Amino acid sequence: GTPLQNNLHELWALLNFLLPDVFASSEQFDEWFNLDVDDADAKKQMIHQLHKLLRPFVLRRLKADVEKSLPPKTETILFTGLSAKQKELYKSLLKRDASLLLSGGDEPTTASRAAISNIAMQLRKCCNHPYLFQGVEDRSLPPLGEHVVDNSGKLKLLDKLLVKLKSRGHRVLVFSQMTQLLDILEDFMHMRGYEYCRIDGNTSYDDRDELIEAYNAPGSTKFVFLLS
């Protein structure tokens, strides 16, 4: 899956392995699908052609087709506000890059797009937890004090949800794209006394198997699984 997502040259290598007579030249493939163009319509058309090209080679199986015993998925979206600390940090991030954000009328360059993407990532971090930024946490406070929860609107909501879910006999998977956030969630698990497992990109294959088996074992006391 990863080469199809990340690197067109590696995609060519896979297609060359499957049909060497058709996809003989990587240079020609790069010419056909050169996505480094400023024309958005042309890029969209090339991506559409790539999808058509890949369709005969990709088998997509849905969980519903493979595992019939799975209950139907139910999605509930909950909204929560920022804490006072998050609001303060959010405003400072916007003010720091105000000149870039206010230049919306100008034609965006590759550099400005990258800068705006970076701002968006910083704001996402802020919305998750302000302690993802160095120097924000007050080190004079206890490392596992209630400030860890109170300074994040999302974590306050998660705290309430976990109490309800545990009382009803549920078990919980928590996903995050940021491994640093999993570090904070681990502190939170210790604060509340919840037994948990954690898997991220640094977890070895052997440890992954052991953690999954520990969580799925009959009568397992593991309440939360942290995943990235």
Side-chain angles (χ1 to χ4, degrees), residues 17-222:
F17 176 79
L18 293 169
L19 293 172
D21 293 336
V22 177
F23 301 101
S25 168
S26 64
E27 289 80 7
Q28 188 178 40
F29 187 82
D30 291 340
E31 286 180 17
W32 290 345
F33 302 108
N34 178 20
L35 297 179
D36 293 328
V37 294
D38 293 328
D39 188 334
D41 291 333
K43 184 181 292 188
K44 188 175 181 179
Q45 182 62 25
M46 279 189 277
I47 292 172
H48 177 69
Q49 292 299 324
L50 269 173
H51 287 170
K52 286 178 64 177
L53 176 68
L54 290 172
R55 198 167 292 128
F57 303 104
V58 177
L59 173 64
R60 186 185 183 201
R61 297 193 300 169
L62 302 177
K63 291 192 286 291
D65 299 328
V66 178
E67 181 50 81
K68 303 291 185 181
S69 63
L70 282 175
K73 174 181 157 185
T74 301
E75 182 174 354
T76 304
I77 299 175
L78 301 176
F79 294 91
T80 185
L82 300 176
S83 69
K85 177 70 74 175
Q86 285 174 301
K87 289 178 182 178
E88 177 187 340
L89 181 59
Y90 200 97
K91 288 177 183 177
S92 70
L93 289 169
L94 290 176
K95 288 178 181 177
R96 186 185 67 185
D97 298 296
S99 59
L100 178 61
L101 295 171
L102 292 173
S103 61
D106 301 334
E107 186 67 26
T109 63
T110 302
S112 66
R113 287 195 196 98
I116 290 172
S117 178
N118 181 61
I119 295 168
M121 176 58 70
Q122 299 307 308
L123 295 176
R124 281 183 61 201
K125 285 170 62 177
C126 176
C127 290
N128 282 327
H129 205 294
Y131 291 178
L132 293 172
F133 295 86
Q134 279 192 330
V136 173
E137 182 177 0
D138 185 349
R139 294 296 181 180
S140 67
L141 297 173
L144 299 183
E146 284 302 313
H147 62 94
V148 176
V149 177
D150 292 338
N151 281 323
S152 169
K154 282 188 176 183
L155 194 49
K156 286 183 76 170
L157 179 60
L158 179 65
D159 191 19
K160 295 175 183 176
L161 284 173
L162 290 180
V163 171
K164 286 190 176 182
L165 291 169
K166 189 169 179 62
S167 69
R168 297 174 185 175
H170 292 286
R171 301 169 77 210
V172 180
L173 306 182
V174 178
F175 296 88
S176 174
Q177 292 180 315
M178 302 177 184
T179 54
Q180 278 183 294
L181 186 59
L182 292 189
D183 296 339
I184 294 174
L185 288 173
E186 278 198 275
D187 289 343
F188 171 70
M189 294 296 133
H190 289 296
M191 287 170 59
R192 296 295 185 254
Y194 294 139
E195 293 191 48
Y196 70 95
C197 299
R198 169 179 171 165
I199 286 179
D200 59 40
N202 294 320
T203 309
S204 69
Y205 287 111
D206 291 339
D207 288 342
R208 286 171 189 242
D209 289 340
E210 289 181 11
L211 290 166
I212 292 170
E213 287 179 10
Y215 191 81
N216 290 329
S220 172
T221 57
K222 304 294 184 184

